Amino acid sequence: MLDDDEIRAFWEAETHRVYMPMLKIALLTGQRFDSIRTLRWKQIDLKQRLWSIPAEAFKSGKPHSVPLSATASTILEALPRWDAGDYVFTTQGGVKPFGNIGREHAKLLRATGTSGWHRHDLRRTGATILQREGCSMEIIAALLGHKLQGVTPIYLRHDYSTEKRNAVDTLERAVTKILVS
């Protein structure tokens, strides 16, 4: 879990042109880092501000939709597209997903003077910010793609698309407030 000072420090760092946008997307969407690392342009609809993760690329084995805030969309729009491949976060012309994660994270920690946090902590941080902002656990769970336990999910079929969109917009506002404070 990152505190507000660590969020500001990493957000302002420009240690790598691919790794830094990945981390920002992780915080703003609450998604698993590997889903972000392997994100493909064909999963993104920038007009609808929606990321559709196919079943084969999501931990639960079911498709998962992630609304994108305006900031997340702007981050993605600024990234290059490649003729050779479809990966969004790449240093290989879109052919392979970004792979120098450990080295780049160590460089980021040195550059920001922070320590003890990992890229996966951004998911926890985003979820905790949403909780602090008053989002219900069921909406946070829906955004994160967590499965409800027990027999209850058999009866609950709502996809929470509107609530997830409101949640990412709430998260964006909260992160913006942290960045300017």
Side-chain angles (χ1 to χ4, degrees):
M1 167 84 186
L2 281 72
D3 64 30
D4 291 358
D5 290 334
E6 290 169 323
I7 292 171
R8 280 188 291 276
F10 107 75
W11 197 276
E12 294 167 4
E14 292 298 329
T15 59
H16 195 276
R17 66 179 174 79
V18 176
Y19 188 58
M20 298 314 302
M22 290 172 75
L23 294 179
K24 291 175 182 179
I25 294 295
L27 178 61
L28 291 170
T29 65
Q31 298 310 297
R32 290 178 181 86
F33 194 79
D34 198 54
S35 293
I36 295 164
R37 189 181 75 79
T38 59
L39 175 61
R40 293 174 174 265
W41 283 113
K42 66 183 174 189
Q43 298 172 0
I44 298 291
D45 182 337
L46 288 170
K47 287 182 184 169
Q48 295 294 316
R49 290 184 20 219
L50 189 67
W51 171 13
S52 299
I53 306 173
E56 64 274 8
F58 199 66
K59 185 177 179 180
S60 71
K62 295 183 178 181
H64 180 58
S65 64
V66 182
L68 300 168
S69 66
T71 301
S73 294
T74 299
I75 290 167
L76 292 170
E77 286 170 348
L79 297 171
R81 295 190 185 225
W82 308 98
D83 290 334
D86 194 42
Y87 286 104
V88 173
F89 298 108
T90 181
T91 55
Q92 309 266 327
V95 176
K96 292 182 182 178
F98 182 68
N100 297 321
I101 294 166
R103 184 180 68 205
E104 290 307 322
H105 194 74
K107 190 183 337 179
L108 171 64
L109 293 178
R110 283 191 305 275
T112 59
T114 61
S115 64
W117 67 273
H118 303 276
R119 60 193 174 272
H120 305 291
D121 290 325
L122 292 167
R123 180 173 161 90
R124 183 179 305 116
T125 300
T128 301
I129 290 170
L130 283 172
Q131 183 184 31
R132 183 174 70 200
E133 294 294 316
C135 282
S136 72
M137 285 179 51
E138 68 185 3
I139 293 169
I140 296 168
L143 179 62
L144 298 176
H146 286 173
K147 206 162 73 170
L148 293 172
Q149 300 300 313
V151 296
T152 304
I154 294 168
Y155 301 99
L156 303 178
R157 299 296 183 172
H158 181 56
D159 69 0
Y160 291 96
S161 58
T162 300
E163 293 86 349
K164 290 190 302 185
R165 176 145 324 268
N166 291 339
V168 297
D169 291 340
T170 296
L171 182 55
E172 175 187 49
R173 284 190 301 276
V175 168
T176 300
K177 193 161 67 173
I178 289 167
L179 297 176
V180 299
S181 65

